[in-house]
Coordinates of all heavy atoms in Angstrom, one line a residue:
M8 N -63.1 -34.0 -228.4 CA -63.5 -33.2 -227.3 C -62.3 -33.1 -226.2 O -61.9 -34.1 -225.8 CB -64.8 -33.8 -226.6 CG -65.3 -32.9 -225.6 SD -66.9 -33.6 -224.8 CE -68.0 -33.5 -226.2
D9 N -62.0 -31.9 -225.8 CA -61.0 -31.7 -225.0 C -61.5 -31.7 -223.4 O -62.7 -31.8 -223.2 CB -60.1 -30.5 -225.3 CG -60.8 -29.3 -225.0 OD1 -61.9 -29.3 -224.4 OD2 -60.3 -28.2 -225.4
E10 N -60.5 -31.6 -222.5 CA -60.9 -31.8 -221.1 C -61.7 -30.8 -220.7 O -62.7 -31.0 -219.9 CB -59.6 -31.8 -220.2 CG -59.8 -32.0 -218.8 CD -58.5 -32.1 -218.1 OE1 -57.5 -32.6 -218.5 OE2 -58.5 -31.5 -217.0
K11 N -61.6 -29.5 -221.2 CA -62.5 -28.4 -220.8 C -63.8 -28.6 -221.4 O -64.9 -28.3 -220.7 CB -62.0 -27.0 -221.3 CG -62.6 -25.9 -220.8 CD -61.7 -24.6 -221.3 CE -62.2 -23.4 -220.4 NZ -61.4 -22.3 -220.7
D12 N -64.2 -29.1 -222.6 CA -65.4 -29.5 -223.1 C -66.1 -30.5 -222.2 O -67.3 -30.5 -221.9 CB -65.5 -29.9 -224.5 CG -65.0 -28.7 -225.5 OD1 -65.1 -27.6 -225.1 OD2 -64.6 -29.1 -226.5
T13 N -65.3 -31.5 -221.8 CA -65.9 -32.7 -220.9 C -66.4 -32.1 -219.7 O -67.4 -32.3 -219.1 CB -64.8 -33.7 -220.7 OG1 -64.4 -34.2 -221.9 CG2 -65.3 -34.8 -219.9
S14 N -65.6 -31.1 -219.0 CA -66.1 -30.6 -217.7 C -67.3 -29.6 -218.0 O -68.1 -29.6 -217.1 CB -65.0 -29.7 -217.1 OG -64.6 -28.6 -217.8
L15 N -67.4 -29.1 -219.2 CA -68.6 -28.3 -219.4 C -69.8 -29.3 -219.4 O -71.0 -28.8 -219.0 CB -68.5 -27.5 -220.7 CG -67.8 -26.2 -220.7 CD1 -67.7 -25.6 -222.1 CD2 -68.2 -25.3 -219.6
E16 N -69.7 -30.4 -220.0 CA -70.8 -31.3 -220.1 C -71.3 -31.8 -218.8 O -72.4 -32.2 -218.6 CB -70.4 -32.6 -220.9 CG -70.2 -32.3 -222.4 CD -71.4 -32.1 -223.1 OE1 -72.5 -32.6 -222.7 OE2 -71.4 -31.5 -224.2
Q17 N -70.4 -31.8 -217.7 CA -70.8 -32.4 -216.4 C -71.2 -31.3 -215.5 O -71.6 -31.6 -214.4 CB -69.5 -33.0 -215.8 CG -69.1 -34.3 -216.6 CD -67.7 -34.8 -216.2 OE1 -67.0 -34.3 -215.4 NE2 -67.4 -36.0 -216.7
I18 N -71.1 -30.0 -215.9 CA -71.5 -28.9 -215.0 C -73.0 -29.0 -214.8 O -73.9 -29.2 -215.7 CB -71.1 -27.5 -215.6 CG1 -71.0 -26.5 -214.6 CG2 -72.0 -27.2 -216.8 CD1 -70.4 -25.2 -215.0
S19 N -73.6 -28.6 -213.6 CA -74.9 -28.5 -213.3 C -75.5 -27.3 -214.1 O -74.9 -26.3 -214.4 CB -75.1 -28.4 -211.9 OG -74.9 -27.1 -211.4
F20 N -76.8 -27.5 -214.3 CA -77.5 -26.3 -215.0 C -77.4 -25.0 -214.3 O -77.0 -24.0 -214.8 CB -79.0 -26.7 -215.2 CG -79.7 -25.6 -216.1 CD1 -79.5 -25.6 -217.5 CD2 -80.4 -24.6 -215.5 CE1 -80.1 -24.7 -218.3 CE2 -81.0 -23.6 -216.4 CZ -80.9 -23.7 -217.7
K21 N -77.5 -25.1 -213.0 CA -77.4 -23.9 -212.1 C -76.0 -23.2 -212.2 O -76.0 -22.1 -212.3 CB -77.8 -24.3 -210.7 CG -77.8 -23.0 -209.7 CD -78.2 -23.5 -208.3 CE -78.2 -22.2 -207.3 NZ -78.6 -22.6 -206.0
D22 N -75.0 -24.1 -211.9 CA -73.6 -23.6 -212.1 C -73.3 -23.1 -213.4 O -72.6 -22.1 -213.6 CB -72.8 -24.7 -211.6 CG -72.7 -25.0 -210.1 OD1 -73.3 -24.3 -209.4 OD2 -72.1 -26.1 -209.8
G23 N -73.8 -23.7 -214.4 CA -73.6 -23.3 -215.8 C -74.1 -22.0 -216.1 O -73.5 -21.1 -216.8
M24 N -75.4 -21.7 -215.6 CA -76.0 -20.4 -215.8 C -75.3 -19.4 -215.0 O -75.1 -18.3 -215.7 CB -77.4 -20.5 -215.2 CG -78.4 -21.1 -216.1 SD -78.5 -20.4 -217.8 CE -79.3 -18.8 -217.3
H25 N -74.7 -19.6 -213.8 CA -73.9 -18.7 -213.2 C -72.6 -18.4 -213.8 O -72.3 -17.2 -214.0 CB -73.7 -19.2 -211.6 CG -72.9 -18.3 -210.8 ND1 -73.4 -17.1 -210.4 CD2 -71.6 -18.3 -210.5 CE1 -72.4 -16.5 -209.7 NE2 -71.3 -17.2 -209.8
K26 N -72.0 -19.3 -214.3 CA -70.8 -19.1 -215.2 C -71.0 -18.4 -216.5 O -70.3 -17.4 -216.8 CB -70.2 -20.5 -215.5 CG -68.8 -20.4 -216.2 CD -68.2 -21.7 -216.4 CE -66.9 -21.7 -217.1 NZ -65.7 -21.8 -216.2
L27 N -72.3 -18.6 -217.1 CA -72.6 -17.9 -218.2 C -72.8 -16.5 -217.9 O -72.4 -15.5 -218.7 CB -73.8 -18.5 -219.0 CG -74.2 -17.9 -220.3 CD1 -73.1 -18.1 -221.3 CD2 -75.3 -18.7 -220.9
E28 N -73.6 -16.1 -216.9 CA -73.7 -14.9 -216.5 C -72.4 -14.1 -216.2 O -72.3 -12.8 -216.6 CB -74.6 -14.7 -215.2 CG -76.0 -15.2 -215.4 CD -77.0 -15.4 -214.2 OE1 -76.3 -15.3 -213.1 OE2 -78.0 -15.6 -214.3
E29 N -71.4 -14.8 -215.6 CA -70.1 -14.2 -215.3 C -69.4 -13.8 -216.6 O -68.9 -12.6 -216.8 CB -69.3 -15.1 -214.6 CG -69.6 -15.3 -213.1 CD -68.6 -16.3 -212.4 OE1 -67.8 -16.9 -213.1 OE2 -68.9 -16.4 -211.2
I30 N -69.5 -14.7 -217.6 CA -69.0 -14.4 -218.9 C -69.5 -13.2 -219.6 O -68.9 -12.3 -220.1 CB -68.8 -15.7 -219.9 CG1 -68.1 -16.7 -219.3 CG2 -68.6 -15.4 -221.3 CD1 -68.3 -18.2 -219.9
V31 N -70.9 -13.2 -219.6 CA -71.5 -12.1 -220.2 C -71.2 -10.8 -219.5 O -70.8 -9.7 -220.2 CB -73.1 -12.3 -220.2 CG1 -73.8 -10.9 -220.5 CG2 -73.5 -13.5 -221.0
A32 N -71.0 -10.7 -218.2 CA -70.7 -9.5 -217.4 C -69.2 -9.1 -217.8 O -69.0 -7.9 -218.0 CB -70.9 -9.8 -216.0
Q33 N -68.4 -10.1 -217.9 CA -67.0 -9.7 -218.4 C -67.0 -9.1 -219.7 O -66.2 -8.1 -220.0 CB -66.2 -10.9 -218.2 CG -65.9 -11.4 -216.9 CD -65.2 -12.8 -216.8 OE1 -65.1 -13.5 -217.8 NE2 -64.7 -13.1 -215.6
L34 N -67.7 -9.7 -220.7 CA -67.7 -9.3 -222.0 C -68.4 -7.8 -222.1 O -67.9 -6.9 -222.9 CB -68.5 -10.2 -222.9 CG -67.7 -11.5 -223.2 CD1 -68.8 -12.5 -223.9 CD2 -66.6 -11.3 -224.0
E35 N -69.5 -7.6 -221.4 CA -70.0 -6.2 -221.3 C -69.2 -5.3 -220.7 O -69.4 -4.0 -220.9 CB -71.4 -6.3 -220.6 CG -72.5 -7.1 -221.4 CD -73.8 -7.2 -220.7 OE1 -73.7 -7.1 -219.4 OE2 -74.8 -7.5 -221.4
G36 N -68.2 -5.7 -219.8 CA -67.4 -4.7 -219.1 C -66.5 -4.1 -220.1 O -66.1 -2.9 -219.8
G37 N -66.1 -4.7 -221.1 CA -65.2 -4.1 -222.1 C -63.7 -3.8 -221.7 O -63.0 -3.1 -222.3
D38 N -63.3 -4.5 -220.6 CA -62.0 -4.3 -220.0 C -60.9 -5.3 -220.6 O -59.7 -5.1 -220.3 CB -61.9 -4.4 -218.5 CG -62.8 -3.3 -217.8 OD1 -63.0 -2.3 -218.5 OD2 -63.4 -3.6 -216.8
M39 N -61.3 -6.3 -221.4 CA -60.5 -7.3 -221.8 C -59.8 -6.9 -223.2 O -60.5 -6.3 -223.9 CB -61.2 -8.7 -221.9 CG -61.6 -9.3 -220.5 SD -62.4 -10.9 -220.7 CE -64.0 -10.5 -221.4
E40 N -58.8 -7.6 -223.4 CA -58.1 -7.5 -224.8 C -59.0 -8.2 -225.8 O -59.8 -9.1 -225.3 CB -56.7 -8.1 -224.8 CG -55.7 -7.1 -224.0 CD -55.5 -5.8 -224.5 OE1 -55.4 -5.7 -225.8 OE2 -55.2 -4.9 -223.7
L41 N -58.8 -8.0 -227.0 CA -59.5 -8.7 -228.0 C -59.5 -10.2 -228.0 O -60.5 -10.9 -228.1 CB -59.2 -8.2 -229.5 CG -60.0 -8.8 -230.6 CD1 -61.4 -8.6 -230.6 CD2 -59.3 -8.4 -231.9
E42 N -58.3 -10.6 -227.9 CA -58.0 -12.0 -227.8 C -58.7 -12.8 -226.6 O -59.3 -13.8 -226.8 CB -56.5 -12.4 -227.8 CG -55.8 -12.0 -229.0 CD -55.4 -10.4 -229.1 OE1 -55.5 -9.7 -228.0 OE2 -55.0 -9.9 -230.2
E43 N -58.6 -12.1 -225.5 CA -59.3 -12.7 -224.3 C -60.8 -12.7 -224.5 O -61.6 -13.6 -224.1 CB -58.9 -12.0 -223.0 CG -59.6 -12.5 -221.8 CD -59.0 -13.9 -221.5 OE1 -58.0 -14.3 -221.9 OE2 -59.8 -14.5 -220.7
S44 N -61.3 -11.5 -225.0 CA -62.7 -11.4 -225.3 C -63.2 -12.5 -226.2 O -64.4 -13.3 -226.1 CB -63.1 -10.1 -226.0 OG -62.8 -9.0 -225.0
L45 N -62.5 -12.8 -227.3 CA -62.9 -13.8 -228.2 C -62.9 -15.2 -227.5 O -63.7 -16.0 -227.7 CB -62.0 -13.9 -229.4 CG -62.2 -12.7 -230.5 CD1 -61.0 -12.7 -231.5 CD2 -63.5 -12.8 -231.0
K46 N -61.8 -15.5 -226.8 CA -61.7 -16.7 -226.0 C -62.9 -16.8 -225.1 O -63.6 -17.9 -225.1 CB -60.5 -16.7 -225.2 CG -60.2 -17.9 -224.4 CD -58.8 -17.9 -223.7 CE -58.6 -19.0 -222.7 NZ -57.4 -19.0 -221.9
R47 N -63.3 -15.9 -224.4 CA -64.4 -15.9 -223.3 C -65.8 -16.0 -224.1 O -66.6 -16.8 -223.8 CB -64.4 -14.7 -222.5 CG -63.3 -14.5 -221.6 CD -63.2 -15.6 -220.5 NE -64.1 -15.4 -219.5 CZ -64.4 -16.3 -218.6 NH1 -63.9 -17.5 -218.6 NH2 -65.4 -16.2 -217.6
Y48 N -65.9 -15.4 -225.3 CA -67.1 -15.5 -226.1 C -67.2 -16.9 -226.6 O -68.2 -17.5 -226.5 CB -67.0 -14.6 -227.3 CG -68.1 -14.6 -228.3 CD1 -69.3 -13.9 -227.9 CD2 -68.3 -15.4 -229.4 CE1 -70.5 -14.0 -228.6 CE2 -69.4 -15.4 -230.1 CZ -70.5 -14.8 -229.7 OH -71.7 -14.8 -230.5
S49 N -66.2 -17.5 -227.0 CA -66.1 -19.0 -227.4 C -66.6 -19.8 -226.3 O -67.3 -20.8 -226.7 CB -64.9 -19.4 -228.0 OG -64.8 -20.7 -228.4
E50 N -66.0 -19.6 -225.2 CA -66.4 -20.4 -224.0 C -67.8 -20.3 -223.7 O -68.6 -21.2 -223.3 CB -65.6 -19.9 -222.8 CG -65.8 -20.8 -221.6 CD -64.9 -20.4 -220.3 OE1 -64.0 -19.5 -220.6 OE2 -65.2 -20.8 -219.3
G51 N -68.4 -19.0 -223.8 CA -69.8 -18.8 -223.5 C -70.7 -19.5 -224.5 O -71.8 -20.0 -224.2
V52 N -70.2 -19.5 -225.9 CA -71.1 -20.3 -226.9 C -71.1 -21.7 -226.6 O -72.2 -22.4 -226.7 CB -70.5 -19.9 -228.3 CG1 -71.1 -20.9 -229.5 CG2 -70.7 -18.5 -228.7
K53 N -70.0 -22.3 -226.2 CA -69.9 -23.7 -225.8 C -70.9 -23.9 -224.7 O -71.6 -25.1 -224.7 CB -68.5 -24.2 -225.7 CG -67.7 -24.3 -226.9 CD -66.2 -24.6 -226.5 CE -65.3 -24.6 -227.7 NZ -63.9 -24.8 -227.4
L54 N -70.7 -23.2 -223.6 CA -71.6 -23.4 -222.5 C -73.0 -23.2 -222.7 O -73.9 -24.0 -222.3 CB -71.1 -22.3 -221.4 CG -71.8 -22.5 -220.1 CD1 -71.6 -23.8 -219.5 CD2 -71.2 -21.4 -219.1
L55 N -73.3 -22.3 -223.5 CA -74.7 -22.1 -223.9 C -75.3 -23.3 -224.7 O -76.4 -23.8 -224.4 CB -74.9 -20.9 -224.9 CG -76.3 -20.5 -225.3 CD1 -77.1 -20.2 -224.1 CD2 -76.3 -19.3 -226.2
S56 N -74.5 -23.9 -225.5 CA -74.9 -25.1 -226.2 C -75.2 -26.2 -225.3 O -76.2 -27.0 -225.4 CB -73.8 -25.6 -227.2 OG -74.2 -26.7 -227.9
V57 N -74.3 -26.4 -224.4 CA -74.4 -27.4 -223.3 C -75.7 -27.2 -222.4 O -76.5 -28.2 -222.2 CB -73.2 -27.5 -222.3 CG1 -73.5 -28.5 -221.2 CG2 -72.0 -28.0 -223.1
L58 N -76.0 -25.9 -222.0 CA -77.1 -25.7 -221.3 C -78.5 -25.9 -222.1 O -79.4 -26.4 -221.6 CB -77.1 -24.1 -220.8 CG -75.9 -23.9 -219.7 CD1 -75.9 -22.5 -219.4 CD2 -76.2 -24.8 -218.5
Q59 N -78.4 -25.5 -223.4 CA -79.5 -25.8 -224.2 C -79.8 -27.2 -224.3 O -80.9 -27.7 -224.3 CB -79.3 -25.1 -225.6 CG -80.6 -25.3 -226.5 CD -81.7 -24.4 -226.0 OE1 -81.6 -23.3 -225.6 NE2 -82.8 -25.1 -225.9
G60 N -78.8 -28.1 -224.4 CA -78.9 -29.5 -224.4 C -79.6 -30.1 -223.2 O -80.5 -30.9 -223.3
K61 N -79.2 -29.6 -222.0 CA -79.8 -29.9 -220.8 C -81.3 -29.5 -220.7 O -82.0 -30.3 -220.2 CB -78.9 -29.3 -219.6 CG -77.6 -29.9 -219.5 CD -76.9 -29.3 -218.3 CE -75.5 -29.8 -218.1 NZ -75.5 -31.1 -217.5
L62 N -81.5 -28.4 -221.2 CA -82.9 -28.0 -221.3 C -83.9 -28.7 -222.2 O -85.0 -29.2 -221.7 CB -83.0 -26.5 -221.8 CG -82.8 -25.3 -220.6 CD1 -82.9 -24.0 -221.4 CD2 -83.9 -25.5 -219.6
D63 N -83.2 -29.1 -223.4 CA -84.0 -29.9 -224.2 C -84.2 -31.3 -223.7 O -85.2 -31.9 -223.8 CB -83.2 -30.1 -225.6 CG -83.2 -28.7 -226.4 OD1 -83.9 -27.9 -226.1 OD2 -82.3 -28.7 -227.3
S64 N -83.3 -31.8 -223.0 CA -83.4 -33.2 -222.3 C -84.4 -33.1 -221.2 O -85.2 -34.0 -221.1 CB -82.0 -33.6 -221.8 OG -82.1 -34.8 -221.0
A65 N -84.4 -32.0 -220.5 CA -85.4 -31.9 -219.4 C -86.8 -31.8 -220.0 O -87.8 -32.4 -219.5 CB -85.0 -30.8 -218.6
E66 N -86.9 -31.0 -221.0 CA -88.2 -30.9 -221.7 C -88.7 -32.2 -222.2 O -89.9 -32.6 -222.1 CB -88.1 -29.9 -222.9 CG -89.5 -29.6 -223.5 CD -89.3 -28.7 -224.7 OE1 -88.2 -28.5 -225.2 OE2 -90.3 -28.2 -225.1
Q67 N -87.8 -33.0 -222.8 CA -88.2 -34.3 -223.4 C -88.6 -35.2 -222.2 O -89.7 -35.9 -222.3 CB -87.0 -35.0 -224.1 CG -87.4 -36.2 -224.8 CD -88.5 -36.2 -225.9 OE1 -88.6 -35.1 -226.5 NE2 -89.4 -37.2 -226.0
E68 N -88.0 -35.1 -221.1 CA -88.4 -36.0 -220.0 C -89.7 -35.6 -219.4 O -90.5 -36.5 -219.0 CB -87.3 -35.9 -218.9 CG -87.5 -36.8 -217.7 CD -86.5 -36.8 -216.7 OE1 -85.3 -36.3 -217.0 OE2 -86.7 -37.2 -215.5
V69 N -90.0 -34.3 -219.3 CA -91.3 -33.8 -218.9 C -92.5 -34.2 -219.9 O -93.4 -34.8 -219.4 CB -91.4 -32.3 -218.8 CG1 -92.7 -31.7 -218.6 CG2 -90.5 -31.8 -217.6
K70 N -92.2 -34.3 -221.2 CA -93.2 -34.7 -222.1 C -93.5 -36.2 -222.0 O -94.6 -36.6 -222.0 CB -92.7 -34.5 -223.6 CG -92.8 -33.0 -223.9 CD -92.2 -32.9 -225.4 CE -92.2 -31.3 -225.8 NZ -91.9 -31.2 -227.2
V71 N -92.4 -37.0 -221.6 CA -92.6 -38.4 -221.5 C -93.5 -38.6 -220.2 O -94.3 -39.4 -220.2 CB -91.3 -39.3 -221.3 CG1 -91.5 -40.5 -220.9 CG2 -90.5 -39.3 -222.7
L72 N -93.1 -37.9 -219.1 CA -94.0 -38.1 -217.9 C -95.2 -37.5 -218.1 O -96.2 -38.2 -217.5 CB -93.2 -37.3 -216.7 CG -91.9 -37.7 -216.3 CD1 -91.2 -36.7 -215.4 CD2 -92.0 -39.1 -215.6
M73 N -95.6 -36.5 -218.8 CA -96.9 -36.1 -219.0 C -97.7 -37.2 -219.9 O -98.9 -37.3 -219.6 CB -97.0 -34.7 -219.9 CG -96.3 -33.6 -218.9 SD -97.3 -33.3 -217.3 CE -98.9 -32.8 -218.0
G74 N -97.0 -37.7 -220.9 CA -97.6 -38.7 -221.7 C -98.0 -39.9 -220.8 O -99.1 -40.5 -221.0
E75 N -97.2 -40.2 -219.8 CA -97.6 -41.4 -219.0 C -98.7 -41.0 -218.0 O -99.6 -41.8 -217.8 CB -96.3 -41.7 -218.0 CG -95.1 -42.5 -218.8 CD -94.0 -42.6 -217.9 OE1 -94.0 -42.3 -216.7 OE2 -92.9 -43.2 -218.4
L76 N -98.8 -39.8 -217.6 CA -100.0 -39.4 -216.8 C -101.3 -39.5 -217.6 O -102.3 -39.8 -217.1 CB -99.7 -37.9 -216.2 CG -98.8 -37.8 -215.1 CD1 -98.6 -36.3 -214.8 CD2 -99.2 -38.6 -213.9
E77 N -101.2 -39.0 -218.9 CA -102.3 -38.8 -219.7 C -102.8 -40.3 -220.1 O -104.1 -40.5 -220.3 CB -102.1 -38.2 -221.0 CG -101.9 -36.7 -220.7 CD -101.5 -35.8 -222.0 OE1 -101.3 -36.4 -223.0 OE2 -101.3 -34.7 -221.8
S78 N -102.0 -41.2 -220.2 CA -102.3 -42.6 -220.5 C -102.7 -43.5 -219.4 O -103.2 -44.6 -219.5 CB -101.3 -43.3 -221.4 OG -100.2 -43.5 -220.7
A79 N -102.5 -43.0 -218.2 CA -102.8 -43.9 -217.0 C -104.2 -43.8 -216.7 O -105.0 -42.8 -217.0 CB -102.0 -43.3 -215.7
P80 N -104.8 -44.9 -216.3 CA -106.2 -44.9 -216.0 C -106.5 -43.8 -214.8 O -105.7 -43.7 -214.0 CB -106.5 -46.4 -215.4 CG -105.2 -46.9 -215.1 CD -104.2 -46.1 -215.9
E81 N -107.7 -43.4 -214.9 CA -108.1 -42.2 -213.9 C -108.2 -43.0 -212.6 O -108.8 -44.1 -212.5 CB -109.3 -41.6 -214.3 CG -109.1 -40.7 -215.6 CD -110.3 -39.9 -216.0 OE1 -110.9 -39.4 -215.0 OE2 -110.5 -39.6 -217.1
D82 N -107.9 -42.3 -211.5 CA -107.9 -42.9 -210.2 C -109.5 -42.8 -209.7 O -110.2 -41.9 -210.1 CB -107.2 -41.9 -209.2 CG -105.7 -42.1 -209.4 OD1 -105.3 -43.2 -210.0 OD2 -104.9 -41.2 -209.0
G83 N -109.8 -43.8 -209.1 CA -111.1 -43.8 -208.3 C -112.3 -44.2 -209.4 O -113.3 -44.5 -208.9
I84 N -112.0 -44.5 -210.7 CA -112.9 -45.0 -211.5 C -112.7 -46.4 -211.7 O -111.6 -46.9 -212.2 CB -113.0 -44.3 -212.8 CG1 -113.3 -42.8 -212.7 CG2 -114.0 -45.0 -213.8 CD1 -113.2 -42.0 -214.0
Q85 N -113.7 -47.2 -211.3 CA -113.7 -48.8 -211.6 C -114.8 -49.2 -212.4 O -116.0 -48.7 -212.3 CB -113.7 -49.4 -210.1 CG -112.6 -49.1 -209.3 CD -112.7 -49.8 -208.0 OE1 -113.6 -50.5 -207.7 NE2 -111.7 -49.6 -207.1
D86 N -114.6 -50.2 -213.1 CA -115.6 -50.8 -214.0 C -116.4 -51.8 -213.0 O -115.9 -52.8 -212.4 CB -115.0 -51.6 -215.1 CG -116.1 -52.2 -215.9 OD1 -117.3 -52.0 -215.8 OD2 -115.8 -53.0 -216.9
T87 N -117.7 -51.3 -212.7 CA -118.5 -52.1 -211.8 C -119.5 -52.9 -212.5 O -120.4 -53.6 -212.0 CB -119.2 -51.2 -210.8 OG1 -120.0 -50.2 -211.5 CG2 -118.2 -50.6 -209.9
T88 N -119.5 -52.9 -213.8 CA -120.4 -53.7 -214.7 C -120.2 -55.2 -214.5 O -119.0 -55.6 -214.5 CB -120.5 -53.3 -216.2 OG1 -119.2 -53.5 -216.7 CG2 -120.9 -51.8 -216.2
L89 N -121.2 -56.0 -214.6 CA -121.1 -57.4 -214.5 C -121.2 -57.9 -215.9 O -122.1 -57.5 -216.7 CB -122.1 -58.1 -213.7 CG -122.0 -57.8 -212.2 CD1 -123.2 -58.4 -211.5 CD2 -120.7 -58.2 -211.6
S90 N -120.3 -58.6 -216.4 CA -120.4 -59.2 -217.8 C -120.7 -60.7 -217.7 O -120.3 -61.4 -216.7 CB -119.1 -59.1 -218.5 OG -118.1 -59.7 -217.9
K91 N -121.7 -61.2 -218.6 CA -122.0 -62.6 -218.7 C -121.2 -63.2 -219.6 O -121.0 -62.9 -220.7 CB -123.6 -62.7 -219.0 CG -124.4 -62.1 -217.9 CD -125.9 -62.2 -218.3 CE -126.8 -61.6 -217.1 NZ -128.1 -61.7 -217.6
A92 N -120.6 -64.4 -219.2 CA -119.8 -65.1 -220.0 C -120.6 -66.2 -220.7 O -121.6 -66.7 -220.4 CB -118.8 -65.7 -219.2

């Protein structure tokens, strides 16, 4: 992994989305040479992969949190029965 890939891993989701939107706009503009277009496309694919990983991670975290909520005892309900030993 080179330095550019490492910096992509550390980018925030919001900044990554903004950068991806810029790349798409540049590619749609059609003003770049073929080589530059391919370079930007490759950068966009790598960025998209990083952002998808961040989304997957966030989704997993939400699932874990939801599981914790579902398995937690309900608030306000107490066992008031007396048991005889």
Side-chain angles (χ1 to χ4, degrees):
M8 184 179 292
D9 66 13
E10 187 177 316
K11 194 169 195 174
D12 290 341
T13 302
S14 67
L15 283 180
E16 291 285 336
Q17 296 172 354
I18 196 168
S19 73
F20 186 81
K21 182 178 179 180
D22 290 343
M24 285 298 296
H25 181 70
K26 185 172 178 109
L27 187 59
E28 289 170 356
E29 287 177 357
I30 291 170
V31 169
Q33 290 172 348
L34 290 171
E35 288 177 341
D38 297 332
M39 292 185 285
E40 294 291 328
L41 176 62
E42 295 79 12
E43 182 64 21
S44 293
L45 289 172
K46 182 179 172 185
R47 297 298 284 165
Y48 182 82
S49 177
E50 184 180 348
V52 168
K53 289 177 186 176
L54 183 55
L55 183 59
S56 177
V57 168
L58 294 175
Q59 185 62 51
K61 289 180 182 290
L62 277 178
D63 292 344
S64 178
E66 181 181 19
Q67 184 63 32
E68 189 173 339
V69 167
K70 285 180 180 180
V71 167
L72 293 171
M73 292 302 293
E75 289 176 6
L76 284 176
E77 290 173 2
S78 65
E81 295 187 32
D82 294 335
I84 298 178
Q85 296 180 1
D86 184 6
T87 57
T88 59
L89 296 174
S90 60
K91 294 182 181 177

